[in-house]
Structures are given as C-alpha cells and as structure tokens.
Amino acid sequence: MSRSFSSPAADAEYGAKMTSSPWESGLFNQVLAGWNGWSVTISLLLALVAYDQFKYLWNKGSIVGPSFKTPFIGPFLESVNPEFVRYQDKWASGSLSCVSVFHKFVVIASTRDMARKVFNSPAYVKPCVVDVARKLLRPSNWVFLDGKEHVDFRKGLNGLFTRKALEIYLPGQEEVYDRYFANFVKISQEQNHGKPVPYMAQFRELMCAISCRTFVGYYLSDEGVKKIADDYYKITAAMELVNFPVIIPFTKTWYGKKAADMVLDEFSKCAAKSKVKIAAGGEVTCILDSWVKTMFDSQAYRDKVANGVPVDPSEKPVLLLRIFSDFEISQTLFTFLFASQDASSSAATWLFQVLAQRPDVLDRVRQENLEARGGDKEKRVTMDMLEKMPYSRVVVKEILRHRPPVIMVPYYVKKNFPISDTYSVSKGLFSPIQSLPSSKLIPFRIHGALHDPEVYPNPDEFDPERWITGTAESASKNWLVFGTGPHYCLGQTYAQLNLMLMIGKASLEMDWEHHATPLSEQIKVFACIFPKDDCPLTFTKRA
C-alpha cells in the first residue's frame, strides 16, 4: 500500500507516542528500576565523602597539612593514643599546619608570636578547652563566657588569690603534705620493701587532695577526696583534643561525664555547708569560704544602703557580688580543679624525678628551706618564708619551662581571624554530618616558646641557674606557661607557691631515689605530659 494513503488513526496514535513525556514513556521508570537501596546509599556516601574532602581542602588553603583526609574521621584514631613525637613532627612541619577530625577543622600555630597573637585576640577567638569540656563543665560555666561577661565574673574571683588569701590556705595544704609524704615512705618501705614503684598515680592523688583542701576545705571528707582523686582520672581520659561528636554510653566521655557530675554534686554540698558556716560568723579557711564571705559582705552592704543606714565608704566591698547558687559555686570550683589537677600532677611528677637526678639542686633547695625556717624543719611555713626562697622559686620556674605541663591550648574561632599575612582562619561553617557546627580550632604551641634556643640556651637541659645569672627572667614574651591576655591563669602565683611548698617540705622530710628506665625521658600525653614509665621511685624518711 502506498504510504500516501496511511490510516489517519495510525497517524494519530504515532503522534501521541511522540508527544508523550518521559515519565509517560517509562524512560525514568526504566532508570529508577536500575536503582536499589544499596546503590542509593553508596551514591549518597560518595557524595558526602567528596563534600568532606572538598571542604577540608578549601579550609586548608595554602598551609601545611595532609593532601587527603581520611573520610569523616580524619586522624581520629591517632588522637585516641596521642604521641608527643607526632606533635613535634606537626610543629616542625610549618608555622601553620592543619588536620580535620570529624566535623572539626584544626589549625595548629607553632610559633611564639602566633601563640601570643591568639592569646591576645579576644575579638576573634575564645578558649574552648577541648570539645567535651562544655559537656563536662556545663555550657553555663563561667569559663565559657566571653567579652564583658567574662571580665566581670573574673574580677569577682581575683580576691581569692591575693597574698593575704593564699596565706590562709597554707595550714590545710601542709596537713595534706604531712599525711601523703608519710604514706609515700610507707608505700616504699612497708608495702614494697624498698623496691621501686611508679608514683605518678600517687602524685595525682596528692595534688587532687591539695586542690580539694584549698578549694573546699574540710567540707569534703577524706573519703570524698579519695573518691574524686580516683574518678578524676576518668575526667582526664575524656579530655582528648577531639572526641566523637556525641557521648556514647560506656565510652571514655560517658565515664568522664558521670565523674564530672559526681564532683559537681559534692562541691554543691560543700557550698551549702560553707554558707551556713559563714552566715554564723565562721572563720575563713579555704577559697570557698573566702568567696562566700565576699558574697555575704556584699549583700549586707546592699541591705544597709537599701534601708537608708549610713555606711562608711570603707565598709564598701571592693567588688559587690550577688549570692551565687550552690550549683554556680560548684561549677566555678570545678573549673579551679580542672585547671589545676592535671597540670600540677605533671609538674609534681617531673619535680620529683628531675631533682632525684640532680642532687646538687635538691641539696640547695633543702638548705634554703631549712634556713628560711630558722633551722627548725618542723616549723610551719608562712608567706614570708616562701617569699625568702629565691632558689626554690627558680627551680619551680625551670621545671615548668623544661617540662611545661600544657603543651598546647585550643581556641575556637568566632570571627574570621587573619592569623598571618597569607592565611585567615574562617569562622566555623556548617556541617551536614549530624547538623553540628564545623568548628575552627587553633591549638597553639606553648612548648616551642619555652624551648626556643635563642632565648633559653640549651633548652632541653634543666638549668635553674638560667633564671639567676642568665637572661631567662627577662624573656617575658616566651614565658607562656600560664598564658597571657584576658584569659591568663588566675592561680599562677598559687600554683608556683604550692609547688615550692611541696618540694621544700619533701626535701626536709624525705630522701628519694629515681630508678631510671629507657622510658623515663620519653613523654606521654595524658591531657598534660608525664614520663612514660610513670616515674618509678623509692622514698625513705630523713632523720
């Protein structure tokens, strides 16, 4: 049949097929028929991997860092068991380097000047401690305040660390040292028959007991102190630089959170007891009492003014504080413990190890302490005595320089921060993973500033003389042990005097020997730095 005489009905059917949509023709149905749950999942995963990698490379820009990020987790497994040598390699790789772990992009600043710039740039950055700290210390804690709020709160704490206040705390501290030093000898001679045992755990318990007695006095029982000392290990274990984004049951962060809740509860009870005692006119014996008394004095002054009672200007407290709740007080005391426990434990461990290796230094510390006490080694220490011990002071400063407890301090970038002429750390972006903010952290290197050979000749050598006859004392820009800027450590004077008291009393009451191992000079990172062999020692009582 001729094509010119084709059926109009057939033409209509053909035209309808030609003008139908891909959906009607089954084209997309055929494509979708080739997809299943696995192919969708794999495609989505590949897209997320590509996005994660692109975001890392975009943030990295021109600074040193891995050319490829392990999808999502980055070097997380390395952070589970951090090695000091890996930190050193990272610092040596460049003045600015980076890694990305989970949703966090981390810029590492390795020079002194960059460290000081971060410390002194509150408009751009704020301390973040470590990620899980907000969960353990609670987001409402004062350490996470920023700007004027932080400054105002901090002013109310300054009076707790004055010379007069620090002298009030000395008797309680000496009592703790008396008890623990006797126990050190007992552990060595009675329990282990003169054989060396690692003492790092004992030093951690000692410094926790010192902190608790200084902060909350005897409102906390010896059993309570021991419980906090034992459980604080779990808090430290949870404080890794980068953790899994959420707390998972039965992990380190989960146990750390439970331990932190216990400490907060115990300190809240102490706060309630202190309020009762101070309201009844009780004597101030610890930081908690001192703070509560300032609150009550402020309230008494306000009441007089409100009631029209004439008030002499001399009666007005230096700072007018409100009455903080028991839990608010507990949170603040917990930050003091958090700031002191690991750092003081690290410093104590290295002091005992290094001075055992340097009997010449130990002998001078012992002689100075004996002279300050007028030849009576049983005489209780005073602030006047501590201030007349210049050699003990430089020994403590040198151990803090030689083995700085805190090697890095993480800061959170809250505003695009031009940290160098060629690189700016941008404010946190948004991550599609678990809808969490993609934080930009800047952990900067304190260790390098304290081991700069141009400032501290032979920086790896323990040499207290550099603070007496050398130029170390004038190198204030490098002395970053306690930070600088608006967030410098409130308790830096307390910390150094406490270490002076500890090593001075120990030198008068005990002899000790360090039993070196191949790991003694190798460093392990457990929030702060410690010898890898946990400092094996033996103690004997001096006649």
Side-chain angles (χ1 to χ4, degrees), residues 79-356:
S79 70
V80 174
N81 292 299
E83 289 286 340
F84 183 71
V85 291
R86 288 181 178 172
Y87 285 121
Q88 289 181 308
D89 290 343
K90 199 68 179 173
W91 298 331
S93 67
S95 59
L96 286 176
S97 58
C98 68
V99 294
S100 180
V101 183
F102 292 121
H103 59 294
K104 296 194 177 297
F105 183 74
V106 182
V107 176
I108 302 167
S110 299
T111 68
R112 179 203 68 183
D113 291 341
M114 283 187 177
R116 293 187 64 85
K117 185 172 183 178
V118 175
F119 269 134
N120 290 289
S121 299
Y124 295 95
V125 297
K126 63 179 180 180
C128 62
V129 195
V130 294
D131 186 47
V132 76
R134 293 182 70 88
K135 302 180 179 72
L136 271 58
L137 300 175
R138 304 298 175 86
S140 59
N141 201 299
W142 80 278
V143 295
F144 302 120
L145 295 177
D146 199 18
K148 187 176 185 302
E149 276 188 301
H150 174 266
V151 171
D152 290 346
F153 195 101
R154 185 186 176 95
K155 285 179 180 177
L157 303 176
N158 286 334
L160 307 179
F161 297 96
T162 62
R163 185 185 187 281
K164 180 180 178 181
L166 294 178
E167 185 146 38
I168 292 172
Y169 315 144
L170 288 176
Q173 293 166 1
E174 281 212 87
E175 290 175 13
V176 173
Y177 284 128
D178 287 339
R179 187 168 70 255
Y180 273 84
F181 288 166
N183 192 50
F184 286 0
V185 174
K186 181 178 179 181
I187 290 171
S188 279
Q189 300 307 315
E190 296 181 22
Q191 298 178 11
N192 291 280
H193 310 292
K195 295 180 181 178
V197 292
Y199 268 82
M200 189 192 90
Q202 298 298 326
F203 295 142
R204 287 183 63 86
E205 183 179 330
L206 165 64
M207 302 317 287
C208 186
I210 284 289
S211 294
C212 286
R213 288 289 173 251
T214 303
F215 302 156
V216 300
Y218 283 89
Y219 298 119
L220 192 64
S221 66
D222 288 342
E223 293 75 21
V225 170
K226 183 70 166 65
K227 173 66 173 170
I228 290 176
D230 290 343
D231 282 14
Y232 201 92
Y233 189 93
K234 299 173 185 175
I235 297 173
T236 301
M239 292 289 183
E240 294 169 332
L241 180 60
V242 180
N243 269 299
F244 198 76
V246 294
I247 293 179
I248 300 174
F250 308 109
T251 61
K252 287 190 288 187
T253 52
W254 186 79
Y255 286 114
K257 178 68 165 59
K258 289 176 70 69
D261 290 345
M262 179 273 293
V263 175
L264 287 167
D265 182 58
E266 289 295 332
F267 283 180
S268 292
K269 294 174 185 176
C270 293
K273 294 174 185 177
S274 177
K275 286 178 178 178
V276 171
K277 172 189 165 184
I278 297 302
E283 181 184 2
V284 171
T285 59
C286 61
I287 281 179
L288 172 57
D289 287 344
S290 182
W291 198 24
V292 168
K293 188 175 188 308
T294 303
M295 296 176 205
F296 284 4
D297 289 347
S298 297
Q299 186 60 48
Y301 174 82
R302 280 192 293 264
D303 290 344
K304 286 183 179 180
V305 172
N307 294 325
V309 177
V311 182
D312 188 277
S314 63
E315 293 183 41
K316 183 179 180 180
V318 176
L319 280 172
L320 290 173
L321 304 181
R322 64 178 175 88
I323 304 293
F324 291 98
S325 70
D326 295 344
F327 188 70
E328 287 176 312
I329 294 172
S330 174
Q331 284 183 300
T332 301
L333 295 173
F334 188 18
T335 63
F336 293 165
L337 182 62
F338 174 78
S340 64
Q341 171 58 15
D342 293 309
S344 62
S345 299
S346 169
T349 303
W350 290 110
L351 263 176
F352 276 99
Q353 174 169 313
V354 172
L355 264 62

Side-chain angles (χ1 to χ4, degrees), residues 515-531:
H515 298 261
T517 75
L519 299 178
S520 293
E521 297 302 323
Q522 293 188 34
I523 293 173
K524 73 173 179 180
V525 181
F526 186 60
C528 294
I529 63 170
F530 297 88

Side-chain angles (χ1 to χ4, degrees), residues 441-478:
L441 301 178
I442 305 181
F444 49 87
R445 179 191 181 195
I446 290 176
H447 186 273
L450 297 163
H451 282 253
D452 184 345
E454 294 184 7
V455 178
Y456 305 108
N458 301 314
D460 294 330
E461 180 182 340
F462 176 78
D463 180 18
E465 290 295 327
R466 72 173 79 243
W467 299 92
I468 301 172
T469 60
T471 59
E473 198 69 61
S474 63
S476 57
K477 286 189 175 181
N478 285 66

Side-chain angles (χ1 to χ4, degrees), residues 460-512:
D460 294 330
E461 180 182 340
F462 176 78
D463 180 18
E465 290 295 327
R466 72 173 79 243
W467 299 92
I468 301 172
T469 60
T471 59
E473 198 69 61
S474 63
S476 57
K477 286 189 175 181
N478 285 66
W479 179 248
L480 296 178
V481 173
F482 298 100
T484 186
H487 291 276
Y488 75 89
C489 178
L490 271 173
Q492 58 180 303
T493 301
Y494 156 72
Q496 293 176 82
L497 289 173
N498 182 39
L499 291 170
M500 288 171 60
L501 171 62
M502 178 198 73
I503 205 64
K505 280 186 68 68
S507 71
L508 294 174
E509 296 180 14
M510 302 180 295
D511 289 316
W512 64 92

